[in-house]
């Protein structure tokens, strides 16, 4: 198979060094350039000599410490009943975790985000913000399906509180598939089964 070379009309901004698509209309190319320019901006913020990326395994200890500090501050606010402040702290930690450089381990980011979303879901639930709590629980599960019984339980509880009992049963069933016989999930499963039974009788 012959290889084809296509010359693209790219433009390099002399000040920002950002690369842009000068003429052609290509969403795929625009997406690639957006990713490339974001990586370039990240490299410019590196706290290393000559802005050279570190090896792929070590992580930035300052960022990890800041994420941990924000999470602990959120936990402290939650225990004090300051749920709005807890949500804000967890949100800041989530933003910081999401903006880790792309060369840092993806598994680390997923673990951080899973716990932070689950914590924020709990704070949302304490304020009876059931839709917001469900979204955070779903985000937590998306990051980590196994070993995240709290995420499964909180998502199902939000669905119950919103009256979406059938969906809550599906959520609990999936959670038990991943978590085995978790006590909290089993308890909620029995509660949801009872609600479904009363729902059928009511019909």
């Amino acid at each position: 198979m012959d290889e084809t070379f296509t010359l693209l009309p790219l433009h390099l901004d002399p000040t920002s060094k950002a690369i842009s698509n000068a003429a052609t209309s290509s969403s795929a190319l625009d997406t690639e350039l957006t990713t490339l320019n974001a990586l370039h901006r990240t490299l410019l913020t590196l706290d290393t000599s000559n802005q050279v990326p570190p090896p792929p395994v070590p992580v930035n200890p300052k960022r990890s410490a800041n994420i941990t500090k924000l999470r602990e501050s959120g936990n402290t606010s939650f225990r004090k009943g300051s749920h709005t402040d807890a949500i804000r702290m967890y949100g800041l930690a989530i933003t910081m975790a999401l903006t880790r450089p792309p060369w840092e381990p993806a598994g680390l980011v997923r673990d951080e985000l899973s716990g932070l979303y689950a914590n924020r879901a709990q704070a949302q639930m304490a304020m009876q913000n059931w839709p917001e709590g469900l979204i955070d629980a779903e985000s937590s599960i998306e990051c980590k399906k196994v070993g995240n019984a709290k995420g499964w339980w909180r998502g199902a509880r939000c669905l119950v509180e919103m009256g979406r009992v059938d969906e809550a049963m599906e959520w609990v069933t999936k959670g038990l598939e991943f978590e085995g016989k978790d006590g909290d999930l089993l308890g909620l499963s029995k509660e949801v089964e009872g609600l479904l039974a009363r729902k059928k009788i009511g019909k």
Side-chain angles (χ1 to χ4, degrees), residues 7-12 19-24 29 33:
L7 181 64
L8 298 173
L10 301 179
H11 172 71
L12 177 66
I19 300 175
S20 59
N21 182 4
T24 61
L29 176 59
L33 291 177

Side-chain angles (χ1 to χ4, degrees), residues 28-115:
L29 176 59
D30 290 339
T31 299
E32 292 293 333
L33 291 177
T34 298
T35 303
L36 179 62
N37 289 326
L39 176 60
H40 174 249
R41 290 193 297 272
T42 301
L43 291 173
L44 291 177
T45 63
L46 285 178
D47 188 19
T48 58
S49 59
N50 299 321
Q51 295 175 326
V52 176
V57 176
V59 297
N60 187 333
K62 293 181 181 178
R63 184 180 294 268
S64 297
N66 286 334
I67 292 172
T68 299
K69 185 176 180 180
L70 287 168
R71 183 182 66 246
E72 291 176 348
S73 296
N75 293 343
T76 300
S77 294
F78 181 85
R79 287 192 293 269
K80 291 180 178 179
S82 302
H83 301 129
T84 300
D85 190 59
I87 290 170
R88 184 175 66 86
M89 290 297 177
Y90 293 139
L92 291 172
I94 287 169
T95 299
M96 187 165 289
L98 284 171
T99 53
R100 278 190 180 277
W103 55 79
E104 292 190 356
L108 169 65
V109 179
R110 286 194 295 270
D111 283 342
E112 286 177 336
L113 290 174
S114 174

Side-chain angles (χ1 to χ4, degrees), residues 114-134:
S114 174
L116 290 167
Y117 279 123
N119 285 3
R120 193 169 70 176
Q122 185 181 30
Q124 297 283 14
M125 293 166 68
M127 299 181 68
Q128 298 187 359
N129 296 335
W130 308 118
E132 292 83 355
L134 176 60

Side-chain angles (χ1 to χ4, degrees), residues 26 43 74 93 95 105 109 116 143 152 177 187 192 197 199-200:
S26 171
L43 291 173
T95 299
V109 179
L116 290 167
C143 293
W152 288 109
E177 289 176 1
V192 175
K199 182 179 178 182
K200 290 181 180 179

